[in-house]
Amino acid sequence: MDDGAAAERANREQLPLASFEESRRAIEAASRFMPGGVSSNFRLGMVPHPLVMERSDGPYLFDVDGNRLIDYYLGMGPMILGHNPPAIRQAVIAQLERGLLYGAQSRLEAEVAELFCAMVPCAEKLRFTSSGSEAVQAALRLARAATGRRVIIKFEGHYHGWFDNILLSVAATPANGGDAAHPNRNPGSAGQDETAWGSVEVLTWNDLPGLQARLAVGDVAGVIMESAMCNAGAILPGAGYLQGVREACTKAGTVLIFDEVVTGFRVAPGGAQQVFGVTPDLATFGKCLANGFPVAAVAGRADLLDCFVSGAVHGGTYNAQPVAMAATLATLRELADGKVIAAIAPHGKRLMEGIASHLKEAGITASVAGFPQIFHVAFGLSQPATHYRDLLEMDRARYIRFCGELLKRRVRILERGAWFLSAAHDAGVIDETLAAVADAAQVVA
Ligand SMILES: Cc1ncc(COP(=O)(O)O)c(C=O)c1O
């Protein structure tokens, strides 16, 4: 730790526990006009309540109570370069001088597309969308258009956005999950149209024989999966699983779709498909693609993407919005050579090891698993999970208490267990975080 970081740490040690009263009042006031005072359901469950921010910079958020928080939420994942990085800011400001929305093409988006295709193994062509959920919809439409089949297979515990046809068995419980080998289909929301998911089947991920048997019927349009599970918990593909899935899909004429909305441009410049050496037919991207701007994409085989010219429809007023494209180009240029992502790894590893050792010292059983750039802490598991059902053993209530204790110590983590790192999380930030983790672990032990 350098002198500055040591002084900072000493200052922080003298700080009283943080209070979030002003945020609470602001959320209560906003609730008059916005349901729950928020703009996404996934912000409702934050502890102790949703927070209201004033600004962000590097690894920090600054809230309306005057707290400076070390941030591992990172906007739910996108801020791989940290908050408000100069390269993105400058690119955006330059584009603002040239206009906001053309209702036409810009040279900028073709430039982004070329760089994207150079980085991502499966990407021969791509189509931009404004959110990951939309990119998934575009991928499902392409799979059905190209194969002339209807059935889509997804996996229990995998999240692919909030739309009616795919928000299925995302958070199955022992009560509603059914047989682990043949999971029930459970809609994730009130108001979901069951006819929308009539042709979607839910299987168990990391079970190759189960998938092979189903694909052999020959009627499946597409298989969609998080190629490394990062939402419900961190679960990596078993040895040979993705290769086996790839072969089975090729044999069955089924389109293999990796949902890389979390892993894309985070675990490697070419995403999880680069890390695991398995190339899908299509992949969806979002989050880190534009470091905070609403940009996503479906990318993959040219013949599949060209279905958008020969009959499949995909629209969107804001697709490839020029200011967002300026941010995307600047982000990809920062990430393209892999150095930024590689430089996050040692900090992530140290954080993972430090968390594991502080929890152990406090007598808390926990597994810390995933990638150094996005990992999960699962209380109650002594081994990393290999199947979604393993995650049902997690001690969620204690983890939520841990989140609350960390937040009081000005470290903000996701309640569901994920920790996102950015290029701005340097050694001093990790030191501070681990000091807070040690204290919080003792409190919840
Ligand atoms: C794997 C995955 N797919 C799709 C989505 C949906 O993306 P968005 O929230 O941009 O609609 C998410 C969002 O968290 C995700 O994690």
PDB file of all heavy atoms in Angstrom, residues 306-330:
ATOM      1  N   ASP A 306     -27.662 -12.530 -41.729  1.00  0.00           N
ATOM      2  CA  ASP A 306     -28.255 -12.067 -42.990  1.00  0.00           C
ATOM      3  C   ASP A 306     -29.742 -12.412 -43.105  1.00  0.00           C
ATOM      4  O   ASP A 306     -30.420 -11.906 -44.006  1.00  0.00           O
ATOM      5  CB  ASP A 306     -27.458 -12.606 -44.185  1.00  0.00           C
ATOM      6  CG  ASP A 306     -26.173 -11.807 -44.399  1.00  0.00           C
ATOM      7  OD1 ASP A 306     -26.109 -10.645 -43.928  1.00  0.00           O
ATOM      8  OD2 ASP A 306     -25.227 -12.344 -45.015  1.00  0.00           O
ATOM      9  N   CYS A 307     -30.247 -13.231 -42.200  1.00  0.00           N
ATOM     10  CA  CYS A 307     -31.711 -13.450 -42.167  1.00  0.00           C
ATOM     11  C   CYS A 307     -32.433 -12.130 -41.911  1.00  0.00           C
ATOM     12  O   CYS A 307     -33.607 -11.994 -42.231  1.00  0.00           O
ATOM     13  CB  CYS A 307     -32.090 -14.467 -41.094  1.00  0.00           C
ATOM     14  SG  CYS A 307     -31.590 -16.145 -41.488  1.00  0.00           S
ATOM     15  N   PHE A 308     -31.732 -11.155 -41.323  1.00  0.00           N
ATOM     16  CA  PHE A 308     -32.353  -9.844 -41.116  1.00  0.00           C
ATOM     17  C   PHE A 308     -32.536  -9.095 -42.432  1.00  0.00           C
ATOM     18  O   PHE A 308     -33.188  -8.054 -42.472  1.00  0.00           O
ATOM     19  CB  PHE A 308     -31.519  -8.989 -40.139  1.00  0.00           C
ATOM     20  CG  PHE A 308     -31.686  -9.391 -38.694  1.00  0.00           C
ATOM     21  CD1 PHE A 308     -30.597  -9.400 -37.840  1.00  0.00           C
ATOM     22  CD2 PHE A 308     -32.934  -9.750 -38.192  1.00  0.00           C
ATOM     23  CE1 PHE A 308     -30.748  -9.761 -36.502  1.00  0.00           C
ATOM     24  CE2 PHE A 308     -33.084 -10.110 -36.856  1.00  0.00           C
ATOM     25  CZ  PHE A 308     -31.990 -10.118 -36.014  1.00  0.00           C
ATOM     26  N   VAL A 309     -31.927  -9.598 -43.479  1.00  0.00           N
ATOM     27  CA  VAL A 309     -32.138  -8.987 -44.801  1.00  0.00           C
ATOM     28  C   VAL A 309     -33.154  -9.802 -45.598  1.00  0.00           C
ATOM     29  O   VAL A 309     -33.859  -9.278 -46.453  1.00  0.00           O
ATOM     30  CB  VAL A 309     -30.798  -8.899 -45.581  1.00  0.00           C
ATOM     31  CG1 VAL A 309     -30.992  -8.284 -46.954  1.00  0.00           C
ATOM     32  CG2 VAL A 309     -29.778  -8.097 -44.780  1.00  0.00           C
ATOM     33  N   SER A 310     -33.255 -11.094 -45.265  1.00  0.00           N
ATOM     34  CA  SER A 310     -34.077 -11.967 -46.116  1.00  0.00           C
ATOM     35  C   SER A 310     -35.412 -12.352 -45.479  1.00  0.00           C
ATOM     36  O   SER A 310     -36.017 -13.328 -45.883  1.00  0.00           O
ATOM     37  CB  SER A 310     -33.287 -13.238 -46.444  1.00  0.00           C
ATOM     38  OG  SER A 310     -32.969 -13.920 -45.245  1.00  0.00           O
ATOM     39  N   GLY A 311     -35.877 -11.595 -44.484  1.00  0.00           N
ATOM     40  CA  GLY A 311     -37.213 -11.921 -43.978  1.00  0.00           C
ATOM     41  C   GLY A 311     -37.414 -11.748 -42.484  1.00  0.00           C
ATOM     42  O   GLY A 311     -38.508 -11.369 -42.049  1.00  0.00           O
ATOM     43  N   ALA A 312     -36.390 -12.021 -41.676  1.00  0.00           N
ATOM     44  CA  ALA A 312     -36.549 -11.823 -40.226  1.00  0.00           C
ATOM     45  C   ALA A 312     -36.474 -10.321 -39.928  1.00  0.00           C
ATOM     46  O   ALA A 312     -35.676  -9.604 -40.538  1.00  0.00           O
ATOM     47  CB  ALA A 312     -35.440 -12.558 -39.471  1.00  0.00           C
ATOM     48  N   VAL A 313     -37.317  -9.876 -38.996  1.00  0.00           N
ATOM     49  CA  VAL A 313     -37.399  -8.434 -38.723  1.00  0.00           C
ATOM     50  C   VAL A 313     -36.814  -8.120 -37.348  1.00  0.00           C
ATOM     51  O   VAL A 313     -37.053  -8.830 -36.382  1.00  0.00           O
ATOM     52  CB  VAL A 313     -38.879  -7.967 -38.784  1.00  0.00           C
ATOM     53  CG1 VAL A 313     -39.007  -6.509 -38.331  1.00  0.00           C
ATOM     54  CG2 VAL A 313     -39.426  -8.142 -40.193  1.00  0.00           C
ATOM     55  N   HIS A 314     -36.046  -7.071 -37.303  1.00  0.00           N
ATOM     56  CA  HIS A 314     -35.563  -6.547 -36.028  1.00  0.00           C
ATOM     57  C   HIS A 314     -35.453  -5.032 -36.167  1.00  0.00           C
ATOM     58  O   HIS A 314     -34.757  -4.552 -37.070  1.00  0.00           O
ATOM     59  CB  HIS A 314     -34.186  -7.133 -35.665  1.00  0.00           C
ATOM     60  CG  HIS A 314     -33.503  -6.355 -34.589  1.00  0.00           C
ATOM     61  ND1 HIS A 314     -32.385  -5.585 -34.821  1.00  0.00           N
ATOM     62  CD2 HIS A 314     -33.802  -6.188 -33.278  1.00  0.00           C
ATOM     63  CE1 HIS A 314     -32.019  -5.002 -33.694  1.00  0.00           C
ATOM     64  NE2 HIS A 314     -32.860  -5.347 -32.751  1.00  0.00           N
ATOM     65  N   GLY A 315     -36.160  -4.302 -35.317  1.00  0.00           N
ATOM     66  CA  GLY A 315     -36.111  -2.840 -35.397  1.00  0.00           C
ATOM     67  C   GLY A 315     -35.690  -2.219 -34.091  1.00  0.00           C
ATOM     68  O   GLY A 315     -35.345  -2.922 -33.138  1.00  0.00           O
ATOM     69  N   GLY A 316     -35.743  -0.899 -34.038  1.00  0.00           N
ATOM     70  CA  GLY A 316     -35.387  -0.197 -32.795  1.00  0.00           C
ATOM     71  C   GLY A 316     -34.952   1.220 -33.112  1.00  0.00           C
ATOM     72  O   GLY A 316     -33.918   1.409 -33.761  1.00  0.00           O
ATOM     73  N   THR A 317     -35.744   2.179 -32.667  1.00  0.00           N
ATOM     74  CA  THR A 317     -35.455   3.592 -32.932  1.00  0.00           C
ATOM     75  C   THR A 317     -34.042   3.970 -32.501  1.00  0.00           C
ATOM     76  O   THR A 317     -33.357   4.739 -33.170  1.00  0.00           O
ATOM     77  CB  THR A 317     -36.476   4.465 -32.169  1.00  0.00           C
ATOM     78  OG1 THR A 317     -37.786   4.068 -32.571  1.00  0.00           O
ATOM     79  CG2 THR A 317     -36.261   5.948 -32.423  1.00  0.00           C
ATOM     80  N   TYR A 318     -33.621   3.429 -31.368  1.00  0.00           N
ATOM     81  CA  TYR A 318     -32.350   3.878 -30.791  1.00  0.00           C
ATOM     82  C   TYR A 318     -31.172   2.954 -31.072  1.00  0.00           C
ATOM     83  O   TYR A 318     -30.083   3.171 -30.536  1.00  0.00           O
ATOM     84  CB  TYR A 318     -32.522   4.056 -29.268  1.00  0.00           C
ATOM     85  CG  TYR A 318     -33.549   5.111 -28.943  1.00  0.00           C
ATOM     86  CD1 TYR A 318     -34.777   4.761 -28.394  1.00  0.00           C
ATOM     87  CD2 TYR A 318     -33.306   6.452 -29.229  1.00  0.00           C
ATOM     88  CE1 TYR A 318     -35.736   5.726 -28.124  1.00  0.00           C
ATOM     89  CE2 TYR A 318     -34.262   7.413 -28.968  1.00  0.00           C
ATOM     90  CZ  TYR A 318     -35.475   7.054 -28.420  1.00  0.00           C
ATOM     91  OH  TYR A 318     -36.417   8.005 -28.165  1.00  0.00           O
ATOM     92  N   ASN A 319     -31.383   1.916 -31.892  1.00  0.00           N
ATOM     93  CA  ASN A 319     -30.262   1.004 -32.176  1.00  0.00           C
ATOM     94  C   ASN A 319     -29.084   1.786 -32.758  1.00  0.00           C
ATOM     95  O   ASN A 319     -29.249   2.554 -33.696  1.00  0.00           O
ATOM     96  CB  ASN A 319     -30.682  -0.080 -33.180  1.00  0.00           C
ATOM     97  CG  ASN A 319     -31.759  -0.994 -32.624  1.00  0.00           C
ATOM     98  OD1 ASN A 319     -32.043  -0.974 -31.441  1.00  0.00           O
ATOM     99  ND2 ASN A 319     -32.364  -1.788 -33.501  1.00  0.00           N
ATOM    100  N   ALA A 320     -27.901   1.563 -32.203  1.00  0.00           N
ATOM    101  CA  ALA A 320     -26.674   2.223 -32.674  1.00  0.00           C
ATOM    102  C   ALA A 320     -26.776   3.744 -32.605  1.00  0.00           C
ATOM    103  O   ALA A 320     -26.291   4.455 -33.486  1.00  0.00           O
ATOM    104  CB  ALA A 320     -26.308   1.765 -34.084  1.00  0.00           C
ATOM    105  N   GLN A 321     -27.394   4.238 -31.558  1.00  0.00           N
ATOM    106  CA  GLN A 321     -27.507   5.691 -31.351  1.00  0.00           C
ATOM    107  C   GLN A 321     -26.079   6.274 -31.362  1.00  0.00           C
ATOM    108  O   GLN A 321     -25.176   5.725 -30.715  1.00  0.00           O
ATOM    109  CB  GLN A 321     -28.212   5.906 -30.000  1.00  0.00           C
ATOM    110  CG  GLN A 321     -28.774   7.273 -29.797  1.00  0.00           C
ATOM    111  CD  GLN A 321     -27.801   8.181 -29.072  1.00  0.00           C
ATOM    112  OE1 GLN A 321     -26.696   7.765 -28.716  1.00  0.00           O
ATOM    113  NE2 GLN A 321     -28.192   9.422 -28.878  1.00  0.00           N
ATOM    114  N   PRO A 322     -25.849   7.339 -32.113  1.00  0.00           N
ATOM    115  CA  PRO A 322     -24.462   7.780 -32.349  1.00  0.00           C
ATOM    116  C   PRO A 322     -23.654   8.110 -31.093  1.00  0.00           C
ATOM    117  O   PRO A 322     -22.456   7.801 -31.037  1.00  0.00           O
ATOM    118  CB  PRO A 322     -24.634   9.029 -33.227  1.00  0.00           C
ATOM    119  CG  PRO A 322     -25.942   8.820 -33.921  1.00  0.00           C
ATOM    120  CD  PRO A 322     -26.817   8.085 -32.956  1.00  0.00           C
ATOM    121  N   VAL A 323     -24.275   8.734 -30.105  1.00  0.00           N
ATOM    122  CA  VAL A 323     -23.492   9.066 -28.901  1.00  0.00           C
ATOM    123  C   VAL A 323     -23.078   7.764 -28.189  1.00  0.00           C
ATOM    124  O   VAL A 323     -21.932   7.610 -27.742  1.00  0.00           O
ATOM    125  CB  VAL A 323     -24.303   9.981 -27.947  1.00  0.00           C
ATOM    126  CG1 VAL A 323     -23.478  10.304 -26.709  1.00  0.00           C
ATOM    127  CG2 VAL A 323     -24.738  11.249 -28.665  1.00  0.00           C
ATOM    128  N   ALA A 324     -24.027   6.832 -28.150  1.00  0.00           N
ATOM    129  CA  ALA A 324     -23.718   5.536 -27.538  1.00  0.00           C
ATOM    130  C   ALA A 324     -22.652   4.795 -28.355  1.00  0.00           C
ATOM    131  O   ALA A 324     -21.800   4.095 -27.796  1.00  0.00           O
ATOM    132  CB  ALA A 324     -24.994   4.704 -27.424  1.00  0.00           C
ATOM    133  N   MET A 325     -22.689   4.951 -29.675  1.00  0.00           N
ATOM    134  CA  MET A 325     -21.672   4.302 -30.520  1.00  0.00           C
ATOM    135  C   MET A 325     -20.285   4.908 -30.284  1.00  0.00           C
ATOM    136  O   MET A 325     -19.265   4.205 -30.322  1.00  0.00           O
ATOM    137  CB  MET A 325     -22.044   4.452 -31.997  1.00  0.00           C
ATOM    138  CG  MET A 325     -23.091   3.487 -32.472  1.00  0.00           C
ATOM    139  SD  MET A 325     -22.538   1.748 -32.425  1.00  0.00           S
ATOM    140  CE  MET A 325     -23.499   1.131 -31.074  1.00  0.00           C
ATOM    141  N   ALA A 326     -20.249   6.215 -30.036  1.00  0.00           N
ATOM    142  CA  ALA A 326     -18.949   6.847 -29.738  1.00  0.00           C
ATOM    143  C   ALA A 326     -18.382   6.233 -28.459  1.00  0.00           C
ATOM    144  O   ALA A 326     -17.184   5.933 -28.365  1.00  0.00           O
ATOM    145  CB  ALA A 326     -19.125   8.350 -29.591  1.00  0.00           C
ATOM    146  N   ALA A 327     -19.278   6.017 -27.469  1.00  0.00           N
ATOM    147  CA  ALA A 327     -18.833   5.391 -26.209  1.00  0.00           C
ATOM    148  C   ALA A 327     -18.389   3.955 -26.477  1.00  0.00           C
ATOM    149  O   ALA A 327     -17.400   3.481 -25.898  1.00  0.00           O
ATOM    150  CB  ALA A 327     -19.967   5.416 -25.188  1.00  0.00           C
ATOM    151  N   THR A 328     -19.101   3.263 -27.349  1.00  0.00           N
ATOM    152  CA  THR A 328     -18.764   1.861 -27.639  1.00  0.00           C
ATOM    153  C   THR A 328     -17.402   1.757 -28.310  1.00  0.00           C
ATOM    154  O   THR A 328     -16.572   0.913 -27.925  1.00  0.00           O
ATOM    155  CB  THR A 328     -19.848   1.235 -28.553  1.00  0.00           C
ATOM    156  OG1 THR A 328     -21.137   1.523 -28.012  1.00  0.00           O
ATOM    157  CG2 THR A 328     -19.678  -0.263 -28.660  1.00  0.00           C
ATOM    158  N   LEU A 329     -17.176   2.616 -29.295  1.00  0.00           N
ATOM    159  CA  LEU A 329     -15.887   2.562 -29.996  1.00  0.00           C
ATOM    160  C   LEU A 329     -14.741   2.847 -29.018  1.00  0.00           C
ATOM    161  O   LEU A 329     -13.720   2.140 -29.001  1.00  0.00           O
ATOM    162  CB  LEU A 329     -15.875   3.579 -31.149  1.00  0.00           C
ATOM    163  CG  LEU A 329     -14.642   3.532 -32.043  1.00  0.00           C
ATOM    164  CD1 LEU A 329     -14.459   2.151 -32.671  1.00  0.00           C
ATOM    165  CD2 LEU A 329     -14.714   4.605 -33.141  1.00  0.00           C
ATOM    166  N   ALA A 330     -14.945   3.861 -28.182  1.00  0.00           N
ATOM    167  CA  ALA A 330     -13.888   4.201 -27.218  1.00  0.00           C
ATOM    168  C   ALA A 330     -13.662   3.043 -26.244  1.00  0.00           C
ATOM    169  O   ALA A 330     -12.519   2.725 -25.888  1.00  0.00           O
ATOM    170  CB  ALA A 330     -14.269   5.470 -26.463  1.00  0.00           C
TER     171      ALA A 330
END
